[in-house]
């Protein structure tokens, strides 16, 4: 499991870890039941505080992406991909609602907004 921490990111380190682990799980790179590094090992590998990795693991566990067994470690939890997809779609809808509101405020036409989204989507 490779996690890359960016010191220039506006996101806290624990959020960067959470986001990357979720992405690895959702993409299938981390499989159900697969062990992930211990909090101490990840902290050592990333040269960060164990408190930071502990917070990231707690967030991942709270959101159902991992589970921990005392004395054995942390593992990838079973994912209901349809539920995860629905949650992501809800977030996208909320974000697009904000984008549309901002676009309307400055008089951006739908076609201009679609062109901008296409450019950003294609990267």
């Amino acid at each position: 499991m490779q996690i890359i921490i960016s010191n220039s990111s506006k996101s806290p380190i624990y959020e960067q870890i959470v986001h990357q682990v979720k992405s690895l799980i959702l993409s299938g790179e981390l499989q159900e039941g697969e062990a992930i590094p211990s909090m101490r090992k990840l902290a050592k590998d990333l040269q960060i505080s164990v408190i930071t990795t502990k917070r990231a693991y707690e967030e991942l566990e709270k959101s159902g992406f991992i589970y921990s067994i005392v004395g054995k470690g942390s593992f990838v939890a079973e994912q209901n991909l349809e539920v995860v997809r629905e949650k992501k779609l809800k977030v996208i809808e909320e974000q697009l609602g904000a984008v549309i509101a901002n676009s309307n405020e400055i008089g951006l036409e739908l076609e201009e907004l679609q062109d901008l989204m296409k450019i950003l989507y294609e990267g």
Side-chain angles (χ1 to χ4, degrees), residues 73-96:
S74 298
F75 303 87
V76 176
E78 178 181 353
Q79 299 299 306
N80 182 335
L81 295 180
E82 191 59 36
V83 170
V84 171
R85 186 176 191 283
E86 284 300 315
K87 286 181 183 178
K88 287 284 189 185
L89 278 174
K90 185 175 187 293
V91 169
I92 291 169
E93 287 172 6
E94 290 170 0
Q95 292 172 339
L96 284 175

Side-chain angles (χ1 to χ4, degrees), residues 5-17 19-20:
I5 300 300
S6 169
N7 292 325
S8 62
S9 173
K10 293 181 181 179
S11 297
I13 292 172
Y14 83 93
E15 284 183 3
Q16 292 180 49
I17 295 169
H19 176 74
Q20 290 181 55

Side-chain angles (χ1 to χ4, degrees), residues 96-110 113:
L96 284 175
V99 168
I100 291 168
N102 286 332
S103 298
N104 288 334
E105 285 178 12
I106 63 168
L108 194 66
E109 296 292 326
L110 176 60
L113 181 59

Side-chain angles (χ1 to χ4, degrees), residues 7-120:
N7 292 325
S8 62
S9 173
K10 293 181 181 179
S11 297
I13 292 172
Y14 83 93
E15 284 183 3
Q16 292 180 49
I17 295 169
V18 168
H19 176 74
Q20 290 181 55
V21 171
K22 283 181 179 180
S23 293
L24 290 169
I25 292 169
L26 293 174
S27 71
E29 287 184 53
L30 288 175
Q31 297 291 316
E32 174 186 334
E34 187 174 338
I36 61 174
S38 71
M39 288 181 238
R40 291 182 195 277
K41 180 170 179 4
L42 185 61
K44 183 180 177 187
D45 290 348
L46 298 177
Q47 298 180 338
I48 59 174
S49 166
V50 174
I51 295 168
T52 302
T53 55
K54 183 177 189 296
R55 184 166 182 193
Y57 279 35
E58 286 172 349
E59 289 289 321
L60 287 163
E61 197 161 350
K62 189 173 17 173
S63 58
F65 281 87
I66 66 170
Y67 63 94
S68 299
I69 300 174
V70 177
K72 293 201 178 214
S74 298
F75 303 87
V76 176
E78 178 181 353
Q79 299 299 306
N80 182 335
L81 295 180
E82 191 59 36
V83 170
V84 171
R85 186 176 191 283
E86 284 300 315
K87 286 181 183 178
K88 287 284 189 185
L89 278 174
K90 185 175 187 293
V91 169
I92 291 169
E93 287 172 6
E94 290 170 0
Q95 292 172 339
L96 284 175
V99 168
I100 291 168
N102 286 332
S103 298
N104 288 334
E105 285 178 12
I106 63 168
L108 194 66
E109 296 292 326
L110 176 60
E111 187 175 300
E112 292 174 290
L113 181 59
Q114 288 172 327
D115 290 341
L116 179 59
M117 285 185 62
K118 185 175 181 180
I119 290 167
L120 292 172

